[in-house]
Every structure is written in structure tokens, then in C-alpha cells.
């Protein structure tokens, strides 16, 4: 595979940008080699600057549920840009997006738009503290909620891949307010509540873990978190930055029938532009300025371009049968991949929830972080490159989710399975 132009660009990038990338997960550190610089995308495919074509299962790490450059999104962006890109004053379309979110999520009476999932989670934590008057937060090892100081503790993929358990530059005093429990282990949560009965503001959780690779919630886990927080007067925060509008129109909370107190969103609701959101019950959201004492603001929040792309995307997702279709396609893909792993006697486990999936090089089952960590990252690395060379773009780390979009078809799925078989054979 010719990557000469990408190699040139990466060399330049490393001079001007730390590590050559604006987000560490793009750097290919875990798998080695040069990240292809992407020139354009269309539907389920992307092309790099050397003209190599790939079927894309990264989907910009989750937002691109419609695929690349969906005509409806492109048209909405054109129209919005022609009318001006930012005013720092209210615009009609931000109300439309907010209403769509409130209508989709029964637990969300009102919602504040921000510019990233990081901001959404950071603000949700502040809100849970403002509302309860308590300081401690529980998060789960392997879950990622953006890079705010207090949340960068055992924070999954990026940090796991790069071997940084907790970031440098985070004061211990901040990190000490974060208690780290084990995903799918209610006893590890109860132990903190027993030790701090009145000290815990809330629990933040990815209802389906996506940032240690996909790990579904165990039977009763989310229900247990709901029960424990309600009894203790703490808030339950669902981080639906990936799962919101991905697993169902109403997110994981609709799929599993659990009502959190605060929900954070991002990724899909921006249709590929930078957006985040946090919302919840009226009495909680009334704490947020200008109504209440919790301050949170943003020059570009509710940006006309971002909300236009978001509204256009959600309108597509509202159509009947969308989730059945995308989940069915993802199932065909993961069933096909499982079959070839079995056929070629490669120990592997594919976890899938809806249209998000991870193939672990691990005989399985992969149900908790300890299992995830036992995956064979050397085999993943070789498989990743064998796939990339053959035109399949997946996340450059074992500990990430892959995404099927509405732009993928049976043809791409068949092609992917065929190529995966060749890739496995080439690894012998
Ligand atoms: C991506 C992600 C975030 C952070 O969102 P950014 O827009 O990258 O800041 C937070 N939570 C989860 C679950 C995510 O996957």
C-alpha cells in the first residue's frame, strides 16, 4: 500500500502538532505505522491522500451514523453557512435540536447544548455536585467521559492504549474526589456508598461501555445503579455520548428501560460537527445559570452549523425501521466475522450491542475490564494492518468500538467478511 503522501504529511504534522495529531487516538501508537491522512469520505467509504480507498468502520469514532457527506446533512450545512456561522445570540434551530432531544429522551425535560462530549460530562458532574451539595463522584474503570481533570482516572481506550493510567497534570486533590468502581460489579459500587453514605454526588456510567471496546451491561447492573443512587440521594448520570441516537432513537436508557437523572450526549447529535449536550429533570436543570447558581457557558454553543447538521441527522434517524436495519446489518457483519474466526481457529470474541461492536483477540467471554485486558494486542495489531492494507478501516486500538452506519450495505458487509478471512490467513 502506497502511503507516501500521508508519510510526508505526518512528518510535517509532527513538527507542528504534538505527536502529529489533534487527538492521541489518531496517532496509530498502539498499532504502529503511519496514519493515512484522509482526503474525503462518501457514504461508507473514505479515501486517503494517496488515493487508497477504505470501507470505514470508525465513523469518526461514532458520530457518522448516516455515513460520510450525507446529502441531507451537506445541504443543511450549506444553507446554515450562507446565513452566517455564529452570532452569540439565540437562533431558531438550537430550539429545534433541543426539542428533538427532549422528545427523544423521556428523562430529559430540558437540555443545554455545549461543544463536545467532554464539556457535556464535565458540566454534568458539576451539576450533580451543585444539586446534591456533595463532592464525590463514582466512575468505572475503563469508561471514558472526556478529558476533564476529575474524569481522567482509569479512563479507558486512549489512556489504556497509551499506558497512562491517570494523566499527568491532574492534581491529586481533584482525582481524589473520583472513586473508581468496576463496571458490571455492583458490590464495588455499594462499598463506596457504605463508606461515604452522604458524600457521593453521583455515578457516571457509559450504559454500554464503548471505550474499553464494547462491553454490554450485565443483567441487573444498570437497574442496580438506579436503585443504589435513588436510595442514597445521589444522581445517576448516563453518558450517552456514543449510545444516544445510536442504540435507539432514545438511546440506551430507552433500550434498557432505565431512567437516569442526567444524560450527556455528543457525537451523533452534531452530525459530524462539534457538539455536546447535557440534560435532565427540570428541578435539576434549574440549577444551571441563568436560572440557578451553577455556571456554565460557551461562545459557540448552539452553533448554527452544528445544530443544523444535528437536526438533519436526527430527522433521518426518526424514520421507521432505521434501528432494526442498522442493527441487522451489524449482526450480519459480526456473525460473519465470528464464523471465520472459528473456521481459522483464531481465539476471538465479538461483542456487539446494536450497531457498535468490538472483536477481541480473546477466547472470551469478555464481560468485565479484566477480561478486556487479557486480549492479545499483538494479534490485534497484525490483524488491524492486514485489514487496513486490504481497504478496511477500523479503530487503531484493541480497546475501541467499531460502528456500522446507515450508509453501509450488504455489499460492504460481504466484502468486509471476505477481506477479514484473507487477513486472518495472511497472519499465519
Ligand atoms: C467520545 C466520548 C466522550 C467525549 O466526547 P468528545 O466530544 O470527544 O469530547 C465522552 N463520553 C463518551 C462515552 C465518549 O465516547
Amino acid at each position: 500500500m502506497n502511503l507516501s503522501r500521508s508519510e510526508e504529511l505526518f512528518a510535517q504534522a509532527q513538527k507542528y502538532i504534538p505527536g502529529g495529531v489533534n487527538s492521541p487516538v489518531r496517532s496509530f501508537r498502539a498499532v504502529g505505522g503511519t496514519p493515512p491522512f484522509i482526503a474525503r469520505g462518501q457514504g461508507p467509504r473514505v479515501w486517503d491522500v494517496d488515493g487508497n480507498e477504505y470501507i470505514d468502520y470508525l465513523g469518526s469514532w461514532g458520530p457518522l451514523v448516516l455515513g460520510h457527506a450525507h446529502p441531507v446533512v451537506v445541504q443543511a450545512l450549506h444553507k446554515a453557512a450562507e446565513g452566517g456561522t455564529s452570532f452569540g445570540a439565540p437562533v431558531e434551530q438550537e430550539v429545534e435540536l433541543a426539542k428533538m432531544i427532549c422528545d427523544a429522551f423521556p428523562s430529559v425535560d430540558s437540555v443545554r447544548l455545549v461543544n463536545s462530549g467532554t464539556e457535556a460530562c464535565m458540566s454534568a458532574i458539576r451539576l450533580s455536585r451543585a444539586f446534591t451539595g456533595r463532592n464525590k463522584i463514582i466512575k468505572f474503570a475503563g469508561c471514558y467521559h472526556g478529558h476533564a481533570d476529575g474524569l481522567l482516572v482509569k479512563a479507558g481506550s486512549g489512556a489504556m492504549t497509551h499506558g497512562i493510567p491517570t494523566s499527568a497534570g491532574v492534581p491529586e486533590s481533584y482525582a481524589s474526589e473520583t472513586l473508581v468502581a468496576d463496571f458490571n460489579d455492583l458490590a464495588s459500587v455499594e462499598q463506596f456508598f457504605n463508606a461515604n453514605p452522604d458524600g457521593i454526588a453521583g455515578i457516571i456510567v457509559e450504559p454500554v461501555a464503548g471505550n474499553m471496546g464494547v462491553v454490554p451491561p450485565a443483567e441487573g447492573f444498570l437497574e442496580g445503579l438506579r436503585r443504589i443512587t435513588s436510595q442514597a440521594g445521589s444522581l445517576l448520570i448516563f453518558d450517552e455520548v456514543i449510545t444516544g441516537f445510536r442504540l435507539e432513537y432514545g438511546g440506551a436508557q430507552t433500550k434498557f428501560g432505565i431512567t437516569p437523572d442526567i444524560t450527556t450526549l455528543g457525537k451523533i447529535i452534531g452530525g459530524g460537527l462539534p457538539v455536546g449536550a447535557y440534560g435532565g429533570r427540570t428541578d435539576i436543570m434549574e440549577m444551571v445559570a441563568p436560572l440557578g447558581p451553577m455556571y456554565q457557558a460557551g461562545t459557540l454553543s448552539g452553533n448554527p452549523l452544528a445544530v443544523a447538521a444535528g437536526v438533519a441527522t436526527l430527522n433521518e434517524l426518526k424514520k421507521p425501521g432505521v434501528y432494526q436495519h442498522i442493527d441487522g446489518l451489524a449482526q450480519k457483519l459480526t456473525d460473519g466475522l465470528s464464523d471465520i474466526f472459528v473456521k481459522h481457529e483464531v481465539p476471538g470474541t465479538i461483542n456487539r450491542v446494536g450497531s457498535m461492536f468490538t472483536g477481541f483477540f480473546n477466547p472470551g467471554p469478555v464481560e468485565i475490564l479484566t477480561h478486556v485486558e487479557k486480549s492479545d494486542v499483538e494479534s490485534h495489531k497484525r490483524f488491524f494492518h492486514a485489514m487496513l492494507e486490504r481497504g478496511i478501516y477500523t479503530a487503531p486500538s484493541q480497546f475501541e468500538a467499531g460502528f456500522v452506519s446507515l450508509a453501509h450495505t450488504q455489499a460492504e458487509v460481504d466484502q468486509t467478511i471476505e477481506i477479514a478471512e484473507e487477513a486472518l490467513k495472511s497472519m499465519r
Side-chain angles (χ1 to χ4, degrees), residues 214-270:
V214 173
V215 177
E219 190 75 43
F221 177 62
L222 298 175
E223 290 83 350
L225 297 182
R226 180 63 284 180
R227 177 173 40 77
I228 294 167
T229 44
S230 295
Q231 282 168 359
S234 306
L235 300 186
L236 179 59
I237 305 169
F238 268 15
D239 178 350
E240 298 230 38
V241 170
I242 290 182
T243 54
F245 298 99
R246 163 66 64 182
L247 298 185
E248 290 255 4
Y249 194 73
Q253 54 197 266
T254 303
K255 190 178 181 82
F256 298 112
I258 310 286
T259 306
D261 299 298
I262 303 175
T263 299
T264 62
L265 296 163
K267 299 198 166 115
I268 286 177
I269 62 161

Side-chain angles (χ1 to χ4, degrees), residues 369-388:
L369 181 60
T370 321
H371 301 159
V372 167
E373 288 170 339
K374 284 188 185 132
S375 303
D376 173 5
V377 290
E378 271 311 305
S379 293
H380 169 268
K381 181 172 163 176
R382 291 173 61 212
F383 183 66
F384 168 82
H385 279 293
M387 292 288 273
L388 191 72

Side-chain angles (χ1 to χ4, degrees), residues 62 65 74 85 112 121 157 172 245 250 317 321 328 351 394:
V65 68
V74 173
T85 55
R112 172 61 63 78
C121 295
S157 55
E172 231 168 74
F245 298 99
L317 295 175
N351 284 356
T394 58

Side-chain angles (χ1 to χ4, degrees), residues 55-57 326-341 350 352 354-358 387 392 394 402-405 408-418 420:
I55 300 175
D56 179 22
Y57 292 101
I326 194 176
D327 293 2
L329 204 57
Q331 180 167 5
K332 282 183 183 151
L333 176 67
T334 52
D335 284 354
L337 293 174
S338 295
D339 288 348
I340 59 159
F341 271 68
I350 304 185
R352 179 187 69 83
S355 56
M356 51 195 283
F357 65 95
T358 301
M387 292 288 273
I392 307 291
T394 58
F403 299 100
V404 174
S405 80
H408 290 82
T409 68
Q410 186 67 46
E412 278 88 29
V413 166
D414 291 343
Q415 200 182 342
T416 303
I417 294 166
E418 216 170 278

Side-chain angles (χ1 to χ4, degrees), residues 248-321:
E248 290 255 4
Y249 194 73
Q253 54 197 266
T254 303
K255 190 178 181 82
F256 298 112
I258 310 286
T259 306
D261 299 298
I262 303 175
T263 299
T264 62
L265 296 163
K267 299 198 166 115
I268 286 177
I269 62 161
L273 274 83
V275 186
Y278 64 102
R281 280 202 323 264
T282 304
D283 60 327
I284 299 173
M285 293 306 287
E286 277 175 355
M287 295 298 292
V288 179
L291 293 180
M294 189 208 98
Y295 197 71
Q296 181 273 311
T299 301
L300 293 172
S301 295
N303 175 263
L305 290 185
V307 296
V311 167
T313 299
L314 299 196
N315 273 327
E316 290 301 304
L317 295 175
K318 251 186 178 165
K319 294 179 177 169

